Amino acid sequence: MTINWKNNLPLPMARPRYYDHQYLRAADLAQAVDYLLSRQHLTARLRHPVGVVSGLELSVTGSDVTVAEGAAVDADGQLVVLPGSRRMSPPGDGTFQVTLRYLETLTDRRDEGGVAAETRWTEEGRVELTSSPPADPGRTIVLGQVVSNRGVVTVQNTGRLVAGLRLPVGAIVPAVGNSPSAGIQFPANPGGGVGDEAFIRYWATAGENTVLRIGNNDDPDDAIVFHQAGGDRLRISQSMLHLGSLDGTFVQADQVVAGLGFWGPNVQHAQLSFRAGRGFELVDRSSDVPSLGYPLHSRPYADLEVQELRAARVRGRGGLSLVSDGQVALRAGAGLVVVKESGASGDLTVQGALGVAGTVNLPDKGYLAGAGRLHLSGPERLYLLNNAGVYIGYGGGSAPEAGCLWVEKRGHVGGDLQVNGRLGVKSSPNSIPDWSGGGISTFDLFVSGAMYAGPVGGPYPISLEAGTGKIVGRTKQFVIDHPLDDPADPDRRLLVHAALEGPENGVYYRGEGRLVDGAATVDLPGYFEALTRLEGRTVQLTPVFEDDEPVSPLAASRVAAGEFRVRTVDGSPASHAFYWQVSAIRADLEPLAVEVPATRHARRPAPADADPTPAAGPATPTTA
């Protein structure tokens, strides 16, 4: 390997040997200087990466930019010095690179002994403004950028190259001790305050016991920060330890922002994490390794043992098991609530009998009070048995609230629920979609009065009258599958059609016919005359042409005896096709009353034999 000196010149490996009475030439002295400079440059190149060592800050002076004095090291290890500040004017509007490079020139020309030549190499730190990045990065050091816009100049540190100490091999071995003269001591008061310091120290306390101390004093908000993967992950400040995304980056809901990993090689890994918007999770990471990138509801850690747990809230994402050799008691001053979250699966399961004790006011009468829904399910038939009957409804008054369900004590009828008659519920509870607010799910539904749909207390814009068969509604819409979309596609579309409306019980028939010598006869279905009234029958015709054949205007006769005739208006012997449509009014219905009072479709009163009044308060269950 060839070690170069500067500008890709080989490193000089020989130096002059001086002795008495030696005749020295200029090349001998130049070789000695080059040898010393090459070693100096090589040392600087190895210990200081390329860039600014000190000073050389950019500032704005009027419409110019000023570069402060300072020093830098270039890629050849040469120390580039700017002994005084340098003020320069941008050549125009635009963005310019401020660069510094080493330059040496021959100066001080003399004529001695008949030979004329320059007697000095003069070094210079050359500052320049260029519109493009340097072609030889490393030998030309970027100090920043200047933006000039109509005489307004701003400076930026974009692209600024800063040097630092580099140790190619070996280790930094500071002094041992607990004082500012030991370890690594950073410059004091970098922000201009008083008493601010930072250090890393290592010393022995007693015998072989040692301490490694990383310190940052003296204000409570002075922080020690551990930065990893583009963000601050751990911070010590305000006398506290902080974990998470601490660099100001906003986190999303359900994002894991901090965690502690517990490692058990070849056995089990676990992780205690904090998930934004949810809380703490203890998860099993045996299948991979602890990290912040794992999905919600991951496998919980199998074993968590505590002597006593007192908490305001305990949540088990993957499950919560309480195992005890003795009795497990759940006590709460305000009562015990078991809640199933929306969208979650699983229920409260009691293996064995569930005993309901009495209350303070009624010690011999316990009951189940469900403020929301109360589900009782199991592999066997459910019995609700009580000598006084079973009442489902409002239990806070002496009379049943309107709309409640009263279950009377009647004779057994083939597994049906007796509700003032017979309500046979045969379908699964899952037949009601999750977007529905609830309702009745059954195979057949029989109504002798009417069905109403609308807000509580009315009005009821939609109703079905069982006696007359009338369907009352502002619009009649139908949703059908889109013929161009796959029914199995979750993103498929639907078509929404609406029924035509008119002030009559109308029917229509349509079809296609063809003229023969300018005339045709259209036969209607055999039941047409029996179904429709004689008055109100109309015929519509549409001539149809194929290619460029001529067509004629058409006329139709009145509909009689289940048919009507078609001919051309001008009497031409045309033979083209035509479309026809016949509209009529049904004869089996009375004429439609178009304008009626609004109260005609109001909610009907309940029958006189309304539900009997139940006893006040919840019913007392009786064991079957």
Side-chain angles (χ1 to χ4, degrees), residues 258-339:
L260 295 176
F262 302 91
W263 294 72
N266 299 323
V267 181
Q268 196 170 30
H269 304 323
Q271 181 173 336
L272 177 62
S273 306
F274 178 77
R275 190 180 293 273
R278 288 186 177 269
F280 289 95
E281 300 173 345
L282 183 59
V283 293
D284 187 347
R285 304 307 308 279
S286 299
S287 60
D288 42 26
V289 294
S291 68
L292 299 185
Y294 66 89
L296 184 65
H297 304 311
S298 293
R299 177 183 177 186
Y301 193 79
D303 303 310
L304 176 62
E305 297 184 5
V306 294
Q307 185 68 27
E308 183 177 6
L309 178 63
R310 293 176 178 267
R313 188 176 188 182
V314 179
R315 305 179 68 177
R317 287 293 175 188
L320 182 63
S321 299
L322 300 178
V323 180
S324 175
D325 295 334
Q327 185 184 50
V328 176
L330 300 178
R331 298 184 296 271
L336 181 63
V337 179
V338 180
V339 179

Side-chain angles (χ1 to χ4, degrees), residues 64-393:
D64 298 336
V65 59
T66 298
V67 182
E69 66 275 5
V73 175
D74 67 8
D76 292 323
Q78 299 181 114
L79 185 63
V80 188
V81 179
L82 188 66
S85 60
R86 187 74 52 84
R87 179 173 177 175
M88 305 181 68
S89 299
D93 288 348
T95 300
F96 305 95
Q97 304 277 340
V98 184
T99 62
L100 175 70
R101 63 187 178 93
Y102 175 85
L103 183 67
E104 56 182 13
T105 57
L106 289 170
T107 61
D108 298 337
R109 184 179 180 85
R110 297 180 187 177
D111 187 355
E112 297 177 348
V115 178
E118 287 77 7
T119 61
R120 299 289 185 271
W121 282 106
T122 300
E123 298 180 348
E124 176 188 0
R126 175 67 62 89
V127 179
E128 297 176 327
L129 296 179
T130 62
S131 58
S132 59
D136 55 348
R139 290 191 173 91
T140 301
I141 300 168
V142 177
L143 303 179
Q145 284 186 348
V146 174
V147 178
S148 177
N149 184 13
R150 298 180 180 180
V152 179
V153 175
T154 58
V155 296
Q156 303 170 351
N157 286 328
T158 304
R160 182 178 177 88
L161 193 61
V162 180
L165 177 64
R166 178 171 60 187
L167 195 64
V169 294
I172 299 175
V173 184
V176 174
N178 186 22
S179 67
S181 61
I184 299 177
Q185 190 76 22
F186 295 89
N189 306 316
V194 178
D196 292 327
E197 65 168 345
F199 55 84
I200 302 176
R201 298 172 188 165
Y202 179 66
W203 75 96
T205 56
E208 294 185 356
N209 298 329
T210 60
V211 173
L212 176 65
R213 175 175 291 173
I214 302 175
N216 189 4
N217 293 323
D218 65 331
D219 300 322
D221 52 356
D222 290 338
I224 298 175
V225 176
F226 289 86
H227 189 89
Q228 190 267 338
D232 295 347
R233 306 302 175 187
L234 184 148
R235 176 186 297 158
I236 303 173
S237 65
Q238 299 292 348
S239 302
M240 295 181 61
L241 178 66
H242 305 268
L243 298 175
S245 298
L246 305 172
D247 51 357
T249 302
F250 289 100
V251 299
Q252 304 295 325
D254 290 342
Q255 177 182 344
V256 179
V257 297
L260 295 176
F262 302 91
W263 294 72
N266 299 323
V267 181
Q268 196 170 30
H269 304 323
Q271 181 173 336
L272 177 62
S273 306
F274 178 77
R275 190 180 293 273
R278 288 186 177 269
F280 289 95
E281 300 173 345
L282 183 59
V283 293
D284 187 347
R285 304 307 308 279
S286 299
S287 60
D288 42 26
V289 294
S291 68
L292 299 185
Y294 66 89
L296 184 65
H297 304 311
S298 293
R299 177 183 177 186
Y301 193 79
D303 303 310
L304 176 62
E305 297 184 5
V306 294
Q307 185 68 27
E308 183 177 6
L309 178 63
R310 293 176 178 267
R313 188 176 188 182
V314 179
R315 305 179 68 177
R317 287 293 175 188
L320 182 63
S321 299
L322 300 178
V323 180
S324 175
D325 295 334
Q327 185 184 50
V328 176
L330 300 178
R331 298 184 296 271
L336 181 63
V337 179
V338 180
V339 179
K340 176 181 177 181
E341 291 187 349
S342 176
S345 60
D347 298 292
L348 175 63
T349 302
V350 178
Q351 296 181 357
L354 176 62
V356 181
T359 63
V360 177
N361 297 330
L362 301 172
D364 58 338
K365 295 182 179 180
Y367 62 91
L368 294 176
R373 296 182 179 179
L374 182 61
H375 297 267
L376 300 176
S377 62
E380 297 182 358
R381 179 177 298 174
L382 175 64
Y383 291 90
L384 299 177
L385 305 176
N386 191 273
N387 293 336
V390 179
Y391 173 73
I392 302 176

